Amino acid sequence: MKKKFGQNFLKNQQIISEIINFCQISKESSVYEIGPGDGALTREVIKINPKKFIAVEIDIGLKDRLDILFNNKRHQIIYADALKFEETSNFTDKTIVIGNLPYNISIQLLIKWIHQYSKKKWIKTMILMFQKEVAERIVSDENSKKYGRITLLASALFNISFLMNINKNDFFPIPKVDSTLLKFEPLETPHLDEVQIYKLEFLSNQLFSSRRKKLKNKIEALFNPQIIKKNNLEQYYDLRAENLSRDIFFSLAKLLQ
Ligand code: SAM
C-alpha cells in the first residue's frame, strides 16, 4: 500500500454496491474512473459492461492486479497521473465520472474538471468520494467557516448533493478520517462561463485570503470606483467574504474586469 498515493481501498462489499447503484451506469454509458486501486469499484463497472470505460491509475505497481480486469476492447486502463490526463479529448460522449479520490489531490482534480467542463460539456454526472471534511467544504453554505473557493467554483456549474458517509473502518488500511460520497449534476444553465469561472477563482482567492477582514479594502482594490458606485458594492464593505452568498459572488465575478 502506498501512502503517498493516498491508497485506502474499499473493502465493504455492501458499500461498494451502494456506490455503484448511485452511479446509474448502463450498457450505454461512458464511464471514467480515477484511481481504481485494487479494483473495488472497477470490477463492478466492468460487470455492467458499459459502452466505454477508461480508468486512470498512477501506481504501475498495481498493473498485475488491474490488467486482468481489462479484457474488453471498449474498456481501458491507463497508468498515468489523473491530474495530467486530458479527459476532453478521450471522452466524446457525456461521461459518468466516478472515484474514491486520492485525498491529497481531490480538490485539484475537482478544480481541473470545473475548468474543463466550463469549456466543454463532457460530464453527465460525477459520483465522487472525498474526505468528510473536504466534502463539507464543497457543500457548505455562506456564514460558515467551511464556505470558500471550492464551494463557489463547484456550485457555479453543478448541483451538488450529499449521498452518504462512509466509515473509515470500511477501508484498508484504515484512514484517519471518515469519507463522504457526493453527487455532482451539471446545471442546465451554468451560472458562469469559462472566463467568468477564472474570475470567480481569482476573486475568491483574493477575498478569502484574509477571511476575518472586512471587505472594504479588497473591493476598492479589485473594482474601479464607477463599478462600485453603479452596483452599490459599498453595501458589502462591512461584511466578510464568508457572508456573501453564492449569487453575490457570481455577480461580482461577472463585474470583474
Ligand atoms: N478505487 C479504489 C477503492 O475505492 O478501493 C482505490 C481508492 S484509493 C483512495 C485512491 C487511488 O488513486 C489509489 O489507487 C492511488 O494509487 C490512485 N491515485 C493516487 N494519485 C493518483 C493520480 N494522480 N492519478 C491517478 N490515480 C491516482
Side-chain angles (χ1 to χ4, degrees):
M1 236 42 99
K2 294 189 184 138
K3 211 170 167 200
K4 67 172 175 175
F5 293 142
Q7 292 184 348
N8 299 99
F9 298 155
L10 271 167
K11 60 167 197 184
N12 179 333
Q13 192 55 43
Q14 169 67 27
I15 299 285
I16 294 168
S17 303
E18 281 181 49
I19 296 172
I20 291 293
N21 283 343
F22 281 126
C23 297
Q24 295 189 302
I25 298 166
S26 76
K27 286 195 185 326
E28 299 311 312
S29 301
S30 167
V31 182
Y32 171 41
E33 186 189 3
I34 302 87
D38 70 352
L41 300 170
T42 321
R43 259 180 223 100
E44 303 303 317
V45 174
I46 286 173
K47 272 188 212 159
I48 303 172
N49 194 14
K51 196 166 78 185
K52 179 173 174 120
F53 177 36
I54 298 180
V56 173
E57 169 58 60
I58 200 167
D59 185 5
I60 193 84
L62 295 166
K63 190 170 167 35
D64 285 350
R65 265 188 273 179
L66 287 173
D67 276 358
I68 46 170
L69 301 177
F70 289 80
N71 48 21
N72 179 328
K73 270 202 301 237
R74 296 171 307 163
H75 303 161
Q76 193 185 1
I77 170 99
I78 297 174
Y79 297 95
D81 181 351
L83 282 172
K84 298 186 185 138
F85 186 66
E86 246 315 312
E87 286 88 353
T88 45
S89 52
N90 278 282
F91 294 104
T92 42
D93 289 353
K94 292 242 177 166
T95 296
I96 302 171
V97 182
I98 70 168
N100 165 12
L101 297 181
Y103 70 94
N104 51 338
I105 56 163
S106 61
I107 291 189
Q108 265 173 286
L109 281 169
L110 185 57
I111 290 179
K112 176 185 135 171
W113 297 327
I114 289 167
H115 284 299
Q116 273 184 350
Y117 185 77
S118 72
K119 295 183 195 115
K120 189 180 164 203
K121 305 283 177 268
W122 66 281
I123 296 170
K124 183 163 194 266
T125 50
M126 301 197 285
I127 306 289
L128 302 173
M129 199 192 300
F130 296 87
Q131 282 179 287
K132 190 161 178 247
E133 177 275 333
V134 172
E136 285 167 354
R137 282 164 55 197
I138 296 170
V139 297
S140 171
D141 279 320
E142 70 246 38
N143 300 321
S144 153
K145 283 195 179 58
K146 294 179 176 153
Y147 182 71
R149 177 182 65 139
I150 191 62
T151 327
L152 294 163
L153 288 171
S155 47
L157 305 183
F158 297 97
N159 183 23
I160 306 150
S161 41
F162 165 90
L163 295 176
M164 65 171 170
N165 286 326
I166 297 145
N167 192 285
K168 56 180 188 247
N169 295 313
D170 289 322
F171 298 89
F172 182 81
I174 299 175
K176 288 200 180 71
V177 291
D178 293 332
S179 292
T180 297
L181 192 69
L182 297 180
K183 177 176 188 173
F184 296 73
E185 293 168 292
L187 294 171
E188 231 164 80
T189 315
H191 291 289
L192 301 179
D193 67 22
E194 181 185 338
V195 174
Q196 292 162 345
I197 286 282
Y198 280 104
K199 290 185 177 178
L200 177 67
E201 190 172 22
F202 172 76
L203 183 72
S204 51
N205 279 338
Q206 291 290 314
L207 298 192
F208 283 104
S209 66
S210 37
R211 258 190 120 83
R212 298 308 306 151
K213 284 218 179 107
K214 293 191 176 166
L215 295 173
K216 179 174 189 292
N217 291 346
K218 289 274 182 188
I219 290 179
E220 285 179 343
L222 290 166
F223 298 94
N224 73 40
Q226 292 91 319
I227 290 191
I228 293 180
K229 196 156 193 286
K230 188 166 168 224
N231 297 281
N232 188 20
L233 302 189
E234 290 105 331
Q235 65 183 306
Y236 307 128
Y237 280 3
D238 284 332
L239 300 179
R240 297 179 172 86
E242 67 191 36
N243 306 128
L244 302 184
S245 69
R246 291 170 169 74
D247 284 342
I248 294 173
F249 260 103
F250 299 154
S251 317
L252 291 177
K254 289 178 188 166
L255 291 175
L256 207 60
Q257 283 171 327

